[in-house]
Amino acid sequence: MYEDEMFDSGHFWYQLYNTSWAGASGRKPLCPNTEFITTYQVYKFPTNKPEKAAATTTATTTATTTTSPTPASSTAGPVVKKDARATRKASKRLASSSASQSPASSSVKKSAKRQKSASSDDEESSSKQSPSKKRSKLSNVDTVTKVNTTRWSIRLGGDGIPFIHADAIANIGMTAKYLPAFDPNDCEGFTYPYNMKVHLLYPGADVKEKFELVRPRNSDEFSPMKELLDVIKIVPEFYLTPAQARRFLDEGTGIFRKMHRAIRDQSYDKVHETIAEYNTALAALRTEGVLTENLKDMHELHLSLVEQILTQIYSRTVSPKVDTLRKYENGTDNVYGELLPRFISKFFKETKLQPTQVFVDLGSGVGNVVLQAALEIGCESWGCEMMENACELAELQQTEFQARCRLWGITTGHVSLERGDFLENAKIADILKKADVVLINNQAFTPELNDRLVNLFLDLKEGCQIVSLRSFVPQDHKINTRNLNSPLNLLEVESKTYFSNCVSWTNAPGTYFIATKDRRKLKEFTTKGKKQDKKASK
């Protein structure tokens, strides 16, 4: 937005993380330093009781976002309807007992009719206001996923939860990687290290993350200053109405614009003042219940928000140890490569994956796709990986994922990560029978493994969709009497194209496949064969 005036030395930049997801095999490490990742910065959520006003808001929030499985408006219709039925019954009894005696019977009937009319009006109004019928209008509908209101959880307190603060992966002590963001000689009252830190509030909980004001020596490293800007911009964009967001995003006087100028001008004091102003404004909106009220009408999770959360998780867990993923060799099944978020979101939409369904990733690596399915779709999400280093990083990501989603106020689908060979894992064999969408990144799989995978498809339920980078069904495959028992006859394959920057191992576009388990062609073939045999026998 203001790139030309934002930074004067090229140390920082402002852009979405879309282009930063390159790495172990294409995705660039955001911070390939390993010594600080084992230090978790633990913040205890406040356990002290808030004031009465805040307590009232908490109760309302909990009832709305966590304990109530259905919006209040969805229950209004049946209640009114029940009252109307009771009124009609009472009116009929009264009318039958006094029809010949009381002239008021006609007015009772009219009253009952009015009650019935009011009941139907209330029901119609209730259905019109049902949150499931409302949609937030965002500019790019292709990057938006519908979500359920119960997935949002804005809390004013809670139990302790560990998460990795930004200052654990980027600080002045890491001299080989980072420098002070501003020249200490230009900072009034400068004393390291205390006043080099800032604390940033998130929308989902009363927690502030610690950032140290440093800049990376290499532009591929994690940049605390950039992430501060990203969060300050994304929170009002997706959690506030346009009127409420004006204080944050106004192009002349907004908090984001002030932060922009403070970094451009290398003003240490202004950065602190702007962060404090942001925290105060967001805290007030949280306490007043504004965020909770806004999220009642929010039924879409934009890909930009999904990417921001996933990037935060990846940069704190995988990037510092990304070199461990480069040990695997080509020519084996243990070759590591990642699908990037926009590609993942694309096939989620094409398979029409729903929150009530089950997603399985066979060969899930560090768990990126599994976590994105649970976050973006809200579905039950499973992954299985046999490479030990990838499994360890996946578990780190899962822990950070739970904390980050809490900070952002999002309730996700259940995540299960399994270690070992997915061909031999009993839990995976069981969940595959229930799976609706299965991902197999078989780009580097050997032909032998691909052939063995085909046998798993026999246990998949009808209609299950298999997303793969290579087709399991040869292009010239046809059902005949010699291959009648082949599992390939159960798959209906559709070829798709992904665009550039969708996978970590190349920037070029490519092809992927969605195979749907569908027995109809096989049934048609066998039925036709039986008819021909019967006709020949005659």
Side-chain angles (χ1 to χ4, degrees), residues 47-111:
T47 55
N48 55 308
K49 294 183 179 180
E51 298 178 2
K52 287 187 177 181
T56 305
T57 307
T58 305
T60 306
T61 302
T62 304
T64 304
T65 60
T66 58
T67 61
S68 176
T70 55
S73 60
S74 65
T75 61
V79 173
V80 176
K81 196 170 184 179
K82 183 176 179 181
D83 292 343
R85 283 198 297 267
T87 304
R88 289 196 295 272
K89 287 180 181 180
S91 300
K92 287 180 180 178
R93 287 197 298 270
L94 181 60
S96 60
S97 63
S98 59
S100 60
Q101 299 177 10
S102 173
S105 59
S106 60
S107 63
V108 171
K109 290 179 180 179
K110 290 179 181 178
S111 175

Side-chain angles (χ1 to χ4, degrees), residues 490-508:
L490 304 175
L491 300 179
E492 186 68 27
V493 182
E494 187 177 2
S495 175
K496 302 278 188 179
T497 300
Y498 62 79
F499 301 105
S500 57
N501 297 313
C502 279
V503 296
S504 66
W505 55 88
T506 179
N507 291 329

Side-chain angles (χ1 to χ4, degrees), residues 218-286:
N218 188 324
S219 61
D220 290 336
E221 306 287 352
F222 168 73
S223 172
M225 308 299 287
K226 177 188 180 305
E227 186 167 288
L228 285 167
L229 278 168
D230 286 343
V231 174
I232 290 173
K233 185 172 187 287
I234 281 178
V235 169
E237 279 184 339
F238 298 113
Y239 289 76
L240 302 178
T241 65
Q244 294 162 354
R246 193 171 296 118
R247 178 178 180 183
F248 296 83
L249 302 178
D250 183 86
E251 292 190 4
T253 60
I255 293 173
F256 175 74
R257 179 64 169 146
K258 290 179 181 178
M259 187 68 174
H260 225 288
R261 290 173 179 150
I263 296 175
R264 180 199 64 191
D265 298 339
Q266 301 274 298
S267 175
Y268 169 85
D269 291 337
K270 291 295 182 183
V271 167
H272 273 266
E273 289 173 12
T274 305
I275 295 289
E277 182 182 354
Y278 164 85
N279 289 339
T280 301
L282 184 60
L285 292 169
R286 283 174 39 76

Side-chain angles (χ1 to χ4, degrees), residues 285-334:
L285 292 169
R286 283 174 39 76
T287 304
E288 294 163 6
V290 171
L291 300 185
T292 300
E293 192 64 29
N294 290 347
L295 293 176
K296 289 179 183 178
D297 295 332
M298 183 174 174
H299 307 287
E300 297 164 336
L301 197 58
H302 199 279
L303 182 57
S304 296
L305 178 58
V306 172
E307 286 183 305
Q308 176 66 37
I309 297 170
L310 294 177
T311 300
Q312 285 188 321
I313 296 164
Y314 191 96
S315 65
R316 287 156 175 76
T317 55
V318 178
S319 289
K321 296 186 177 182
V322 74
D323 288 338
T324 64
L325 299 174
R326 295 187 174 128
K327 298 178 181 178
Y328 304 102
E329 300 178 358
N330 289 326
T332 71
D333 296 320
N334 294 333

Side-chain angles (χ1 to χ4, degrees), residues 73 121-134:
S73 60
D121 289 343
D122 287 345
E123 291 176 48
E124 183 180 358
S125 174
S126 174
S127 64
K128 284 181 180 178
Q129 294 178 4
S130 174
S132 63
K133 300 280 180 82
K134 296 178 181 176

